[in-house]
Structure formats: C-alpha cells, structure tokens
Amino acid sequence: MKTIYIAKRQIILCLLFMLLIIGTLYADDDRTHKLSGKIIVVDAGHGGIDTGANHSGVLEKDINLAIALELKKVLHQYDAKVVLSREADIELSPECNNEKVKGRYHRDLAARVEMVEESDADLFISLHANAASNSKRQGPEVFYYAKSEPSKSLANVIQNELSKVIKSAPTANPGNYFVLRRNKIPAALIEVGYITNIEERSLLQSPEHQRKLAEAIAKGIYNYY
Ligand SMILES: [Zn+2]
C-alpha cells in the first residue's frame, strides 16, 4: 500500500511539474507575441560634447547609454526591434537632415525625432538621468506630452513598473520636451533617477540596477500593449 501511495504522489508531483513547464512556455509565448515585430526607438539622451547633468564625475550621458544598451537586450527578448539613437558617446547634430533646423543643440534633438520617421517606429523611449539642488530627491520620473493620450498611458505603465524597483511616484507627469512634443507616435521620456542623490548615483552606475531599470521599462512597454 505504501509503495502505491508513494507512486501516486510521484505521479501527482510529475503532473504538477509538467503543468508548470507548459505554463512557463505559454507565458514566454505571450511575452514575445505582444511586442513581436514592434519597432522601438530607444534614445540615450545627450552624448559627445553634451554631457547632460553631471555630478561628482558621473556624467548623465554615460548612464543613459548604459541603460539604453541594457534595454535593447531586454526588448530583444520580447522579440521587439530596437533602433538605438546612439551606440557610442557621440552627439547627433550631424545626423539631422533638416537644413532649416539651426544650431547644434536643436539639430541634435531633431535628429532623434527624424529617426522615428526613418525607421517607421511604433514607440519612442528617451532615457535621461536627473539632477536637483536638493540632494534628497530621488527616484525615477516618467514624462509624456499632455496632448497625447497614448503617450500618457505608456508613461504611466512604465512609471508603475519603475516604482516597484525603487521608491518613486506611482504616476507619470506631463512634460513639454521637444522629443515628446514632436513625436507623432506614443513617446515617453524617462528620468531614471537622480545623480545628485548619493545612494542613487551609486545605484545608477551599477550594472545590476541598470538591468533592473531596463527590465521594468520593458515590462511597462509590454503592459502598454
Ligand atoms: Zn537629460
């Protein structure tokens, strides 16, 4: 009787294990399905001569690029196509095709929006790091263009995922940024954290934290769809 009981228990355990495997396979299938074929422009803010914010030797442009590269890897796992605005420490003003746009700064920003049109992208994500005179301020903040409802939804789902990684506001904020205003597709600008906060500055430089932020952003994008 005891042997039969053990055998039964083993069969049940075996069935449960198989169900778990099947569940995982379906979950993975779903995960790739929603973003499959979607084209996402991942914009690492600043670059080259434009460092963005800087504090204690930490340059915003470097943090932005490190997280952009991580985000590209994670989004590939979701089967999305990723177009990076830059893959190195460069400014993008030479890439701007519109002769009417004057000045290095504006040409750099215009080039980032042109990338969306040239790649026929579905989504635009711009990555930045924040700075404030109050060194206590911390946490990621996501922005959207107020006149775009889809951008608001996108920004809110990303903010929600980021607030699970590190304490931050549960909802996104409207922001009148050029790269958001000029985009015709859903767009979000993500301030990944404050380099002026001592703990967060150290976190933002750690590959592990960069990975967590990238995973949260990708999860947010997935939830948006
Ligand atoms: Zn910035």
Side-chain angles (χ1 to χ4, degrees), residues 2-221:
K2 204 177 176 188
T3 331
I4 294 166
Y5 173 72
I6 290 168
K8 255 189 189 170
R9 206 172 67 167
Q10 279 172 339
I11 289 165
I12 289 166
L13 279 173
C14 204
L15 281 171
L16 282 173
F17 182 69
M18 277 164 70
L19 280 172
L20 189 75
I21 297 282
I22 291 165
T24 313
L25 285 173
Y26 271 93
D28 272 356
D29 192 35
D30 188 41
R31 175 173 152 145
T32 55
H33 181 70
K34 276 196 195 173
L35 296 188
S36 185
K38 292 274 185 272
I39 303 168
I40 300 168
V41 171
V42 174
D43 171 38
H46 313 280
I49 195 169
D50 173 16
T51 61
N54 71 84
H55 199 276
S56 307
V58 177
L59 305 178
E60 182 198 340
K61 62 175 184 176
D62 298 332
I63 305 274
N64 299 343
L65 181 59
I67 298 172
L69 293 169
E70 255 335 291
L71 183 56
K72 182 184 178 179
K73 279 189 223 161
V74 181
L75 285 171
H76 274 170
Q77 291 167 7
Y78 280 85
D79 212 22
K81 288 178 187 159
V82 175
V83 177
L84 285 173
S85 64
R86 62 182 179 94
E87 291 183 60
D89 183 16
I90 53 163
E91 63 164 304
L92 297 175
S93 58
E95 309 290 323
C96 178
N97 295 318
N98 188 344
E99 292 308 317
K100 287 180 190 159
V101 181
K102 301 293 176 205
R104 200 176 199 164
Y105 174 73
H106 287 113
R107 291 184 66 77
D108 176 273
L109 291 176
R112 295 171 200 257
V113 179
E114 278 175 8
M115 254 171 227
V116 169
E117 287 144 25
E118 285 159 13
S119 60
D120 200 20
D122 298 290
L123 277 190
F124 178 89
I125 303 290
S126 190
L127 298 169
H128 289 259
N130 228 333
S133 50
N134 177 357
S135 63
K136 288 200 178 104
R137 282 191 75 169
Q138 60 95 52
E141 290 165 14
V142 187
F143 294 90
Y144 58 89
Y145 184 47
K147 288 180 183 167
S148 168
E149 276 302 317
S151 297
K152 185 180 179 179
S153 308
L154 172 70
N156 273 323
V157 284
I158 295 173
Q159 180 78 62
N160 183 256
E161 288 303 320
L162 286 169
S163 71
K164 295 175 190 169
V165 176
I166 187 162
K167 198 182 130 201
S168 50
T171 53
N173 295 296
N176 195 13
Y177 296 99
F178 180 90
V179 292
L180 298 181
R181 200 168 60 235
R182 290 297 177 93
N183 255 306
K184 293 183 181 79
I185 57 169
L189 186 144
I190 304 168
E191 296 279 1
V192 291
Y194 283 82
I195 60 169
T196 38
N197 177 289
I198 188 164
E199 284 103 30
E200 198 160 42
R201 181 164 65 248
S202 147
L203 274 178
L204 287 169
Q205 290 172 276
S206 103
E208 195 194 336
H209 187 69
Q210 291 168 353
R211 176 90 188 168
K212 278 185 194 168
L213 292 172
E215 277 171 356
I217 296 166
K219 182 84 191 301
I221 294 170

